[in-house]
């Protein structure tokens, strides 16, 4: 196969990246590498790679980096309209690698992750759209999304998920509920909430399981809302959901599944879109079914093959 690896500049020189590329080349495949240097490079390189795929010069495009890099590469590639013969892969090199968890890609073994692109057939997965803007994994909103964005990357690398707890505790006095209305297919909910997640994948924030039933290719998005809690229960709830995911709060969440959701509020909501922070008072999230042919691990969260 002919692979194009688009790798984030911060990790491009790491030995694990070079070892993975060397190993796949030794297997007889062609791997050309592009390294990002500044903002916008990943998207530009993805569009260029799609043009080469249309010309018959590439078989697969691999995003090498964290969730933000994956989202940027895939979003730009989709906008460039890749041919059906072009598949995609992920070399998980970030701190969180949340999408890689749902896709069953071994973040601890870069060589094994890259080899999946040449040893396993690609499967079509869904893509989420926020007002037409693609995302691959999860949209999160509320206090939890602020904690995810504001947690120091060095702290995450050293102590993992506990870093989010420490950041949340340090920001605890700022914890305030948002209020809004969320609608979907046969679903409507309105009220105050501490956090929400709309997922194509299952994880956010370095392995926090927020949408435990989400599937990458079922044509639907999963919603989880954590309604407002009494002040004395908020810290325990925050700690529990960071350490154990949505399962830590049985019976307290609002959950739904739909091909679309709409959010409306009078106040801005802090939203994290696959690692990119935005603020919005209203947005529409839609599922674009089976829009991306991706090389997945054997235990990826997808519908069983017939």
């Amino acid at each position: 196969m002919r692979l194009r690896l688009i790798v984030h500049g911060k990790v491009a020189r790491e030995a694990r990246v070079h070892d993975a590329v060397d190993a796949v080349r030794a297997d007889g495949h062609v791997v050309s590498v592009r390294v990002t240097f500044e903002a916008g490079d990943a998207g530009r390189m993805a569009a260029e790679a799609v043009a080469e795929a249309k010309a018959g010069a590439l078989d697969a495009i691999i995003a090498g980096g964290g969730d933000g890099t994956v989202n940027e590469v895939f979003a730009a590639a989709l906008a460039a309209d890749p041919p059906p013969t072009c598949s995609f892969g992920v070399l998980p090199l970030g701190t969180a690698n949340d999408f890689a968890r749902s896709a069953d890609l071994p973040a601890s073994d870069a060589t094994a992750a890259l080899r999946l692109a040449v040893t396993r057939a690609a499967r079509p997965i869904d893509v989420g759209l926020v007002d037409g803007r693609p995302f691959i994994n999860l949209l999160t909103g509320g206090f939890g999304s602020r904690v995810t964005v504001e947690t120091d990357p060095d702290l995450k690398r050293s102590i993992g998920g506990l870093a989010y707890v420490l950041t949340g505790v340090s920001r605890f006095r700022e914890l305030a509920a948002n209020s809004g209305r969320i609608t979907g297919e046969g679903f409507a909910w309105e009220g105050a909430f501490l956090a929400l997640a709309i997922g194509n994948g299952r994880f956010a924030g370095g392995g926090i399981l927020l949408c435990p039933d989400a599937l990458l290719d079922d044509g639907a998005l999963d919603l989880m809302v954590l309604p407002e809690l009494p002040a004395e229960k908020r810290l325990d709830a925050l700690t529990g959901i960071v350490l154990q995911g949505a399962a830590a709060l049985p019976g307290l969440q609002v959950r739904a599944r739909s091909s679309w959701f709409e959010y409306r509020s009078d106040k801005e909501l802090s939203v994290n879109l696959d690692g990119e922070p935005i603020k919005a008072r209203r947005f529409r999230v839609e599922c674009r079914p089976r829009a991306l042919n991706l090389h997945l691990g054997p235990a990826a969260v997808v519908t069983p093959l017939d």
Side-chain angles (χ1 to χ4, degrees):
M1 289 183 65
R2 296 161 300 177
L3 310 182
R4 169 64 47 77
L5 172 62
I6 301 171
V7 62
H8 195 291
K10 288 186 178 180
V11 294
R13 293 186 177 183
E14 293 185 7
R16 56 177 174 161
V17 178
H18 288 262
D19 290 346
V21 171
D22 289 344
V24 173
R25 285 173 175 168
D27 292 340
H29 305 282
V30 177
V31 185
S32 55
V33 181
R34 301 291 183 271
V35 179
T36 67
F37 179 73
E38 57 191 359
D41 280 354
R44 175 179 56 79
M45 292 171 179
E48 291 171 352
V50 169
E52 293 184 48
K54 288 180 177 179
L58 282 179
D59 300 310
I61 301 169
I62 315 298
D67 293 307
T69 299
V70 172
N71 192 63
E72 184 178 358
V73 169
F74 289 176
L78 285 169
D81 191 24
T85 55
C86 181
S87 60
F88 293 83
V90 175
L91 181 58
L93 302 168
T95 302
N97 299 311
D98 284 308
F99 178 72
R101 299 170 194 269
S102 294
D104 188 35
L105 306 174
S108 61
D109 189 338
T111 298
L114 188 58
R115 274 188 168 138
L116 288 174
V118 295
T119 58
R120 291 187 60 83
R123 287 191 58 171
I125 67 164
D126 304 335
V127 172
L129 300 171
V130 182
D131 295 332
R133 183 177 183 177
F135 71 96
I136 307 301
N137 185 45
L138 262 171
L139 174 152
T140 59
F143 184 73
S145 67
R146 287 185 54 196
V147 169
T148 301
V149 170
E150 295 173 8
T151 299
D152 188 314
D154 292 333
L155 192 62
K156 286 189 289 184
R157 279 189 287 269
S158 62
I159 63 175
L162 184 58
Y164 295 103
V165 178
L166 295 179
T167 303
V169 170
S170 69
R171 303 284 196 278
F172 185 67
R173 293 184 181 276
E174 305 170 26
L175 178 56
N178 296 92
S179 183
R181 175 175 173 81
I182 306 169
T183 55
E185 294 172 309
F187 171 81
W189 183 88
E190 185 171 4
F193 62 93
L194 298 177
L196 70 81
I198 299 176
N200 185 42
R202 297 184 176 185
F203 299 90
I208 304 172
L209 184 60
L210 295 181
C211 296
D213 298 322
L215 298 174
L216 296 173
D217 63 346
D218 62 348
L221 298 166
D222 281 45
L223 169 74
M224 187 284 292
V225 179
L226 177 61
E228 184 178 22
L229 298 171
E232 66 273 11
K233 293 185 178 181
R234 288 180 178 177
L235 184 57
D236 286 343
L238 173 65
T239 303
I241 204 166
V242 167
L243 294 180
Q244 301 176 48
L249 306 170
L252 293 180
Q253 320 129 37
V254 176
R255 294 173 62 182
R257 177 173 291 167
S258 173
S259 64
W260 60 270
F261 289 103
E262 289 188 350
Y263 175 84
R264 297 288 185 271
S265 179
D266 294 332
K267 297 182 179 180
E268 283 190 332
L269 175 70
S270 294
V271 175
N272 187 330
L273 191 62
D274 281 354
E276 183 175 351
I278 60 176
K279 291 187 177 182
R281 294 183 178 180
R282 55 181 56 197
F283 51 82
R284 179 181 174 89
V285 188
E286 299 176 285
C287 179
R288 182 176 168 188
R290 305 196 171 197
L292 193 75
N293 291 319
L294 192 69
H295 298 277
L296 302 165
V301 293
V302 293
T303 54
L305 291 171
D306 296 331

